[in-house]
Amino acid sequence: MAPPSAAEHYLEQPTYDDPPENGSHEKSQDEPQEQHHNPPGGFDPTPLPDAPPGYTIKITFHKAINLPVADIQTVSSDPYIHATLTADVPKRHPEDPPLTRRTRTIHKSREPVWEEDWIVANVPATGFKLKCRLYDEDWPDHDDRLGNVTIEVDHLDEDWPGFGLDGKFFEIKKRSGSKRAYFHKGIEALMHGLKWTSPQIHISINVLGVSDPPHAQMCTLGPTYWVKHFSPMIGRLTGVTAGSDGTDSDDNSKMPQKYDFQASEIQLAGPVPPKLYHRYVEFRPLIGKMFSQKGFRGHILNKVLHKQHRRIYNYDSSTEVGIFAECSKDASVQFLRMAHFAEGGRIFTYVLTLDGLLRFTETGKEFGIDLLSKHTMHSDVATYIACSGEFFIRRIAKRHKPHHTHTGSSSHHDHNQENGSGYNNTCDNGLSHETHDHPGTSELSRDPEDYELIIDNDSGTYRPDKCVLPDLQAFLQRQFPGLHIRALDCGDEEHQKAKKEQLEIKKKEGPKVRMVLNRSPSSSSFSSDDESRLGDLDAMDDDAPRYKSKKERAFDMVEDPSTWRDWVPGMNSGGHGHAEHASGSGSGQGNGEGSGVTKTV
C-alpha cells in the first residue's frame, strides 16, 4: 500500500508560503483523513513507468568559432551554452522537467574553449534530441542569444559510431540570434575586407554502454560540479565578516559595505531515488494558476518568481565554478565549504531537483529579499521536485575523543552534559556537539568526520512526506561520504529542539546582517535614502516586524487586490508603514509566531 501523501496531513493553511504553525507535516496515521478537505499535491507515490534498457552517453562541448561581437565596448563576447536533452522516455507526469546543462561562461572570447562533458544515463534506443542555445552573458541586462544548434539522433545502440573521436562542427543557426551582434559582425567583415564565416560549435557524442536501472529515469551521472552565485545586493555588515569559504576577515568597519549574498548549486551524481517525488501543494486556487501561468495574476506571479530565480542564481564575472570527484571526500569538503562549515549557526533553505541538482541559500528573517515563496523560487517554479526543506551543519566530536578547553569559548559541553535548554547534545550515533560562543577561536577542521548535516522537510510549497526521509538520507550519505547525516521530520520534537539550539548559536555567533532591498543590480553607490533605510534597520530590534518593500506590497496586491486600500495614505490609520502589514498580514508573510519572522517554503 502506498504511503499517504503529505498533502493528506494538512487541512487549512493561512498563506501559500507558510508551513503549519506547529511546524508539523504529519498527523497520526491512525487518525482518519477527510480526502475532500485536502489540497492536491505533496508526496506523489506514482511509480516509474516500465521502460526497456537505455544507454549512457557522453556529450562533450568542445568549443565555438567565429562568434559575433555581442559587446561593442570590449569588441568581444562572453559566450556560454545552455543545452536541453529530450528523448522518448516514459514520464510519470507530463510536466516532469527535461534535462538541462549550462556550461561555464568564457569571458571576452569569440572563440571560446569549454571542453566540458555531460554524462547522461538511460537515453533510449529510439534516440534523442539535443538543443544547444548559445548566449552572450550580459548581466545585469538580458543575455543575448547568439543562435541555436539542434542535434537529432534517431537510433542508439552500443555500436553507434557517434561523431567520431574528434567530434563534429555544427553551424549555428543565426535566425534566432541577436540581430545587433550579427550586424556588428557584418560591419567588421566589411571594414576589414574579410570573408563572412558562419559561427560553429564543436560537439562530440559517444555511447559509453548500457545503463543501470531504473530505465525510465533519464538522469545526469556526471561530472559533478559546484557553482557559487553572488547576488548584487547591498547590505551593512557589522563586526566580523564571513568569507565565501567560511573563513573570517578582520574588517570591522561600521560603514555600509557590499554584501555578496551567496546562492549555491551542487550537481550530484544521479539517479535520485524514485521515491523522492513531490508536486507543489495547491491549497489556494491562485497557486495552481501561478505554476500553470493561467490568468492574469497567475501569469504575473510566475514571471516574477522566474525573475527572482534569475536574480538570486545569476551568472556574472564574480560567479565561481568548479568540479569535484563524485561520491568522494572531496565532495563532502566542498559541500561543507559552501555551507561555511559550522560557522555562525547558519540555517539554509534547499531544493533538490529530480535530476539531482541541489540549490540552497542561507535563510532567516534578515534574508527576506522580496521572495514570494522561497522554495518556489529555488525550484524556478518547477511543478515537480525531489525534495525541499531546510538544513544546518553542526560540528561534532566523537565520544572517545577527550574534550579540550578552547580559549574564548565559554560553552564547551561534555558528551553527557545537557545545554541550557535541557537538550542533550549526544546523538543516537554516539556523537556530541561542540558549541563555541565565538567563531574563529579554534582552528577550523576540514575533516567531514567532524561535522553533522541535519536536513529536514520543512517546506510549505511542496511539503515532502516524512516517509521519504530515509531515502533522502541514504542518497546524501552516498554523495557525501564521511559526513554524518540525519534526515528528520520538521515536526519531530528532537529536531525542533536542535533547530532552536542552532538559532541560539546564530544569535551568539552570527554577524548581524541587514539587507538593502530593490537595489539596481548595476548600482555600486549609496544614496541618502539608502543610508537612512540602513539606519532605520539597525535601530530595529531583532524581534521587530520586518519592513515590507514596495515590491512585496505590490505582489501582495496582485495576489489579493482588496489589500490596495491598506497601502494608500489616508485610507487606513496605519498608512504606508502600518506595523500590522509590515509584520506579515499580507499574503507573502503569513501569521507565523512573532509575526515578524519570515517563514520558509
Side-chain angles (χ1 to χ4, degrees):
M1 181 177 179
S5 168
E8 296 177 2
H9 305 297
Y10 289 81
L11 299 180
E12 295 182 1
Q13 293 298 319
T15 65
Y16 63 82
D17 59 349
D18 278 339
E21 291 186 16
N22 61 4
S24 173
H25 279 220
E26 296 291 335
K27 283 185 174 290
S28 171
Q29 294 185 359
D30 297 329
E31 295 180 14
Q33 303 293 325
E34 298 183 24
Q35 185 66 31
H36 63 279
H37 285 304
N38 300 326
F43 174 65
D44 189 339
T46 304
L48 284 169
D50 293 330
Y55 299 93
T56 299
I57 64 173
K58 182 174 78 170
I59 304 168
T60 303
F61 304 103
H62 294 286
K63 60 184 178 180
I65 59 175
N66 302 324
L67 297 184
V69 174
D71 188 349
I72 195 64
Q73 294 180 341
T74 61
V75 196
S76 187
S77 295
D78 303 312
Y80 68 89
I81 297 173
H82 185 276
T84 303
L85 184 68
T86 56
D88 188 20
V89 177
K91 296 182 177 182
R92 285 186 280 192
H93 193 279
E95 295 187 19
D96 286 352
L99 297 190
T100 61
R101 180 66 179 254
R102 186 199 192 278
T103 68
R104 71 188 189 280
T105 302
I106 306 297
H107 294 282
K108 297 182 181 180
S109 175
R110 295 174 59 190
E111 298 200 352
V113 177
W114 292 285
E115 294 298 339
E116 291 190 22
D117 296 331
W118 185 19
I119 301 175
V120 180
N122 288 308
V123 180
T126 53
F128 61 89
K129 178 178 178 181
L130 177 67
K131 187 166 187 178
C132 302
R133 297 175 176 88
L134 188 67
Y135 289 93
D136 167 67
E137 184 178 282
D138 195 18
W139 178 261
D141 299 325
H142 290 290
D143 294 350
D144 296 322
R145 185 180 294 188
L146 302 180
N148 298 336
V149 166
T150 301
I151 302 173
E152 297 189 35
V153 174
D154 57 10
H155 177 72
L156 273 186
D157 57 41
E158 292 187 84
D159 299 324
W160 184 65
F163 301 127
L165 296 177
D166 299 327
K168 181 179 178 180
F169 282 90
F170 296 87
E171 184 175 339
I172 298 173
K173 295 181 180 179
K174 303 178 291 294
R175 182 171 54 185
S176 59
S178 168
K179 294 179 175 58
R180 174 175 57 84
Y182 284 100
F183 175 75
H184 294 161
K185 182 177 175 65
I187 293 297
E188 180 189 31
L190 183 64
M191 291 179 61
H192 294 85
L194 302 176
K195 181 180 179 181
W196 174 271
T197 52
S198 297
Q200 295 179 316
I201 297 180
H202 183 201
I203 297 175
S204 62
I205 306 177
N206 297 289
V207 174
L208 301 182
V210 179
S211 302
D212 296 328
H215 300 302
Q217 191 172 0
M218 192 167 70
C219 63
T220 297
L221 295 184
T224 47
Y225 64 88
W226 57 269
V227 185
K228 287 183 183 179
H229 307 267
F230 300 99
S231 296
M233 302 177 187
I234 307 299
R236 171 174 289 175
L237 300 181
T238 59
V240 178
T241 59
S244 60
D245 60 352
T247 59
D248 297 325
S249 70
D250 296 328
D251 187 359
N252 294 318
S253 172
K254 302 295 181 179
M255 296 300 293
Q257 305 169 21
K258 181 178 179 181
Y259 179 67
D260 285 331
F261 180 79
Q262 179 180 317
S264 302
E265 292 181 292
I266 300 180
Q267 177 63 59
L268 305 176
V272 172
K275 194 174 182 179
L276 298 179
Y277 192 62
H278 295 86
R279 180 185 183 270
Y280 70 87
V281 179
E282 192 175 349
F283 48 87
R284 278 191 178 185
L286 182 62
I287 304 303
K289 294 179 180 179
M290 180 178 70
F291 277 86
S292 61
Q293 301 189 61
K294 292 182 179 179
F296 174 75
R297 289 190 292 171
H299 181 78
I300 292 296
L301 291 174
N302 184 279
K303 293 296 183 184
V304 167
L305 282 164
H306 279 303
K307 185 175 181 179
Q308 292 284 12
H309 178 86
R310 291 192 299 270
R311 174 184 174 187
I312 300 299
Y313 291 96
N314 72 84
Y315 283 82
D316 59 19
S317 58
S318 68
T319 303
E320 299 177 10
V321 183
I323 60 174
F324 55 87
E326 64 182 65
C327 304
S328 66
K329 183 178 179 180
D330 289 342
S332 303
V333 172
Q334 182 60 45
F335 171 69
L336 289 171
R337 183 179 293 116
M338 298 179 76
H340 305 278
F341 292 88
E343 291 186 335
R346 291 176 171 89
I347 298 178
F348 299 87
T349 299
Y350 80 92
V351 160
L352 178 65
T353 70
L354 294 176
D355 193 36
L357 182 62
L358 180 66
R359 299 191 183 112
F360 60 92
T361 62
E362 188 173 350
T363 190
K365 63 180 180 180
E366 66 270 33
F367 298 106
I369 44 179
D370 295 348
L371 303 182
L372 289 176
S373 167
K374 291 185 179 179
H375 286 108
T376 309
M377 182 280 298
H378 284 296
S379 71
D380 200 15
V381 205
T383 301
Y384 280 89
I385 64 165
C387 199
S388 59
E390 295 182 349
F391 72 82
F392 55 90
I393 308 291
R394 296 198 296 188
R395 187 171 179 177
I396 59 178
K398 294 182 180 180
R399 275 187 176 182
H400 65 269
K401 286 186 178 181
H403 291 277
H404 299 284
T405 302
H406 295 267
T407 303
S409 178
S410 61
S411 58
H412 192 79
H413 300 285
D414 192 77
H415 69 270
N416 59 356
Q417 182 180 355
E418 293 185 354
N419 58 28
S421 64
Y423 176 60
N424 194 313
N425 279 339
T426 303
C427 304
D428 294 338
N429 55 10
L431 303 170
S432 59
H433 306 280
E434 295 181 358
T435 304
H436 299 284
D437 286 343
H438 303 284
T441 57
S442 61
E443 184 179 353
L444 186 65
S445 171
R446 294 297 194 272
D447 187 353
E449 291 281 351
D450 292 336
Y451 296 92
E452 180 181 40
L453 165 65
I454 298 180
I455 191 166
D456 64 28
N457 55 346
D458 189 3
S459 170
T461 300
Y462 297 97
R463 300 178 188 171
D465 196 284
K466 68 178 182 181
C467 70
V468 308
L469 294 178
D471 296 78
L472 175 64
Q473 179 172 319
F475 175 69
L476 294 178
Q477 197 68 71
R478 181 173 71 89
Q479 303 293 330
F480 304 123
L483 180 63
H484 304 279
I485 298 175
R486 287 195 296 164
L488 302 175
D489 178 52
C490 64
D492 182 79
E493 183 177 354
E494 178 189 6
H495 176 58
Q496 290 177 353
K497 288 181 179 180
K499 184 174 283 189
K500 183 178 179 181
E501 183 185 60
Q502 187 76 359
L503 292 173
E504 290 298 322
I505 297 174
K506 183 175 182 179
K507 288 182 180 179
K508 294 179 181 180
E509 297 185 359
K512 190 176 182 180
V513 180
R514 297 295 190 186
M515 305 299 293
V516 176
L517 312 184
N518 300 323
R519 294 286 300 171
S520 168
S522 59
S523 176
S524 59
S525 61
F526 275 86
S527 67
S528 59
D529 289 341
D530 295 328
E531 292 287 0
S532 176
R533 174 74 177 281
L534 284 170
D536 292 341
L537 286 172
D538 277 344
M540 290 171 57
D541 185 80
D542 286 343
D543 296 326
R546 187 174 67 81
Y547 179 83
K548 275 198 173 184
S549 67
K550 292 180 181 179
K551 279 187 178 181
E552 288 176 301
R553 296 195 299 273
F555 298 156
D556 289 347
M557 285 188 281
V558 170
E559 200 274 340
D560 185 4
S562 65
T563 61
W564 71 271
R565 295 177 179 271
D566 300 331
W567 304 108
V568 177
M571 294 296 292
N572 286 324
S573 59
H576 174 78
H578 197 285
E580 236 182 27
H581 300 283
S583 65
S585 61
S587 65
Q589 295 301 314
N591 55 359
E593 183 181 353
S595 71
V597 178
T598 301
K599 300 281 187 176
T600 60
V601 185

